[in-house]
Amino acid sequence: MNAFDFDNTIYDGESIYDFFIFCLIKNKKLLKFLPKVIKKLIEYKLNKISIDKIYDLSSSIINYAVKTSNYKIEELVKLFWKKNIKKLKPEILKLVKKDDLIITGCPDFLINYISDKLNTKNIISTKYNILESKVEFINLGQNKVLQYKKIYGDKKIDNFYTDSFVDTPFMKYSKNVYFVKKNKIILIK
């Protein structure tokens, strides 16, 4: 089995950040979160933010966006993907096979909408409860390992494709690790 990160690997960008900007254009009230989002995105890329802080910020932004928007979250997701589906990288996506895994911090409400375009139904993602407006589990860092082990035990991954050392805990389950930068793939382990 091969495993793929989603953001900056299969998708050209950070999908939740792009979704925030998309919602911001539709709802200017979200501007108050922009400095925090940029700061936390930088901290995340530098692996200098705790999962708890990501939970708190994600929940508050999504809750505020839903409460102050003229759209339901399902409508926002549909409109978002109509505009951003072109950001899926066909060169990387063609590597994904039916039995492979996509393991991502992207929220389930966002990635599940396009699951039919991803060549696999095996997706482990951040869990967001739309009915209760709350993040239940953020699938980043060590949490990726925990979720993977719940489903697959200690089964090794043949090849893991990612863009970030944030995935270092998960890399240990992979025989080979490839970094993806745009459409370039580099073997690092």
Side-chain angles (χ1 to χ4, degrees):
M1 172 195 303
N2 296 319
F4 296 80
D5 183 32
F6 182 69
D7 292 319
N8 289 307
T9 303
I10 294 172
Y11 177 83
D12 188 14
E14 291 286 338
S15 58
I16 194 65
Y17 175 77
D18 289 352
F19 184 68
F20 171 75
I21 298 299
F22 177 81
C23 291
L24 176 67
I25 291 166
K26 302 247 180 244
N27 181 357
K28 302 294 185 232
K29 293 176 185 175
L30 291 172
L31 269 172
K32 71 180 192 174
F33 289 105
L34 189 57
K36 280 184 186 177
V37 168
I38 292 170
K39 182 179 183 227
K40 297 305 178 198
L41 182 63
I42 291 167
E43 289 174 356
Y44 165 70
K45 282 300 185 183
L46 295 174
N47 206 14
K48 293 185 176 187
I49 186 170
S50 73
I51 294 293
D52 291 337
K53 288 186 180 181
I54 294 173
Y55 271 113
D56 294 342
L57 182 63
S58 300
S59 287
S60 61
I61 291 172
I62 294 169
N63 293 341
Y64 189 79
V66 170
K67 288 177 185 171
T68 61
S69 176
N70 294 327
Y71 299 92
K72 292 182 179 178
I73 196 162
E74 297 87 356
E75 295 171 301
L76 287 168
V77 169
K78 181 180 180 180
L79 293 169
F80 171 79
W81 281 118
K82 186 175 182 179
K83 178 181 179 201
N84 288 285
I85 198 74
K86 64 183 179 240
K87 292 184 81 173
L88 292 179
K89 299 178 187 179
E91 301 82 8
I92 307 302
L93 199 50
K94 72 180 179 186
L95 300 173
V96 181
K97 305 298 180 223
K98 180 180 164 188
D99 294 330
D100 288 342
L101 169 69
I102 295 174
I103 187 161
T104 178
C106 178
D108 52 2
F109 68 83
L110 204 53
I111 197 166
N112 288 348
Y113 187 84
I114 59 156
S115 64
D116 63 324
K117 307 255 188 280
L118 300 176
N119 302 335
T120 183
K121 297 294 181 199
N122 302 322
I123 299 171
I124 301 174
S125 59
T126 291
K127 301 295 176 221
Y128 182 79
N129 185 324
I130 291 175
L131 296 175
E132 295 182 22
S133 299
K134 101 179 186 187
V135 175
E136 294 179 344
F137 182 85
I138 292 188
N139 196 46
L140 295 174
Q142 188 62 35
N143 283 354
K144 280 188 178 182
V145 173
L146 296 174
Q147 287 301 96
Y148 176 79
K149 287 178 98 173
K150 278 184 187 177
I151 298 168
Y152 298 100
D154 288 327
K155 181 179 179 181
K156 285 283 190 186
I157 297 290
D158 294 318
N159 300 295
F160 177 47
Y161 299 82
T162 185
D163 71 301
S164 173
F165 282 109
V166 171
D167 285 326
T168 297
F170 192 75
M171 290 176 186
K172 295 173 187 171
Y173 284 85
S174 307
K175 294 174 189 169
N176 300 302
V177 177
Y178 294 90
F179 256 42
V180 177
K181 296 296 175 192
K182 292 294 180 188
N183 292 319
K184 189 174 182 180
I185 301 171
I186 303 162
L187 177 67
I188 62 164
K189 172 189 153 196

